[in-house]
Amino acid sequence: MKIFIDTANVEQIKQAYELGILSGVTTNPSLVAKEGRNFEEVLREIADIVGELPVSAEVVSLKADEMVAEGEKLAAIADNIVIKVPMTMEGLKAVHRFTQKGIETNVTLIFSANQALLAARAGASYVSPFIGRLDDINQDGLQLIADIAEIFDIHGLPAEIIAASIRHPVHVTEAAKLGADIGTMPFKVIEQMVKHPLTDQGIERFLADWESAKK
Ligand code: E4P
């Protein structure tokens, strides 16, 4: 499973990119608003940092014509911009149009296998089921990943499944086991994945032994 970072924070993207583990970036309007900066400027910086890696930028229009106009402007910022479109009738129309124009899309706010199937059929390059938000309402987010992976596999659908709304490292492991192509996660979850108390203790003990051997 590939690792994407889910943030519009340029410093965090730089740090994750330096680790060599990153395969892409996703943003959304809430994450961009949190930074309090000009969206296009932030997008340009992110696209520069990650080179060729895909960067999802979300449209905020709700009508297909407006989504396409907005998305074309965002896509013109850099070659690696993927247009993120919400899972609605108008969104699907827009995805179809973007596909005809050769612009990649990521259909977001997916909460059912049928939504993922429709998004893939409309030509989306990526579908983003939100597992954390399903868990929040007492539904099984990881089961949705398993269902979509099974359907895409049976029918040879090429859209990549992004496990989104990841809240903790167990989501990452389970989504990877269930067949998600990508997990997009906050920087905090990447840090949590790096950490293990036995690794820290091990380093401490090695260094202590090293020092006492010198005496
Ligand atoms: C995915 O592309 C979304 O930006 C994201 O994963 C949403 O996560 P949240 O439910 O933690 O806001």
Side-chain angles (χ1 to χ4, degrees):
M1 185 174 82
K2 290 179 272 187
I3 308 291
F4 281 17
I5 189 166
D6 193 32
T7 184
N9 184 287
V10 169
E11 284 316 309
Q12 291 182 349
I13 293 168
K14 272 190 201 150
Q15 284 186 58
Y17 185 72
E18 281 172 0
L19 298 176
I21 50 101
L22 209 60
S23 298
V25 180
T26 53
T27 66
N28 66 40
S30 308
L31 294 170
V32 173
K34 211 164 115 190
E35 297 305 309
R37 299 183 51 199
N38 174 275
F39 184 28
E40 294 185 10
E41 192 184 292
V42 175
L43 214 49
R44 203 163 287 122
E45 277 179 40
I46 296 173
D48 274 356
I49 295 166
V50 300
E52 312 249 289
L53 304 181
V55 178
S56 287
E58 189 160 343
V59 294
V60 288
S61 306
L62 296 177
K63 292 279 172 205
D65 284 345
E66 290 155 28
M67 286 180 187
V68 172
E70 200 188 329
E72 279 180 324
K73 261 180 82 184
L74 296 174
I77 291 175
D79 290 343
N80 49 341
I81 304 290
V82 172
I83 304 306
K84 211 169 171 192
V85 174
M87 177 59 216
T88 59
M89 289 281 195
E90 291 294 309
L92 289 177
K93 267 193 244 171
V95 168
H96 181 51
R97 303 241 292 270
F98 282 127
T99 305
Q100 288 172 325
K101 291 170 186 282
I103 295 174
E104 291 210 306
T105 52
N106 171 0
V107 176
T108 190
L109 293 166
I110 292 214
F111 294 97
S112 76
N114 283 338
Q115 288 182 319
L117 175 61
L118 292 173
R121 284 296 180 207
S125 309
Y126 304 93
V127 297
S128 289
F130 278 36
I131 59 180
R133 292 194 196 182
L134 277 172
D135 289 355
D136 287 345
I137 60 155
N138 206 19
Q139 289 186 17
D140 190 349
L142 286 163
Q143 184 56 49
L144 176 59
I145 300 292
D147 290 345
I148 298 172
E150 187 181 348
I151 290 168
F152 282 17
D153 188 41
I154 292 170
H155 299 285
L157 292 166
E160 291 192 81
I161 303 165
I162 305 183
S165 187
I166 281 179
R167 300 277 163 77
H168 49 70
V170 176
H171 270 157
V172 180
T173 310
E174 293 303 317
K177 280 161 61 183
L178 293 168
D181 300 287
I182 298 158
T184 192
M185 61 204 74
F187 186 64
K188 187 180 131 233
V189 174
I190 297 175
E191 288 180 311
Q192 290 171 326
M193 288 163 68
V194 171
K195 282 272 179 199
H196 196 289
L198 291 181
T199 306
D200 297 341
Q201 276 176 34
I203 291 170
E204 243 175 68
R205 196 178 303 166
F206 284 151
L207 292 182
D209 290 346
W210 187 256
E211 283 307 314
S212 62
K214 281 202 281 183
K215 281 174 200 156

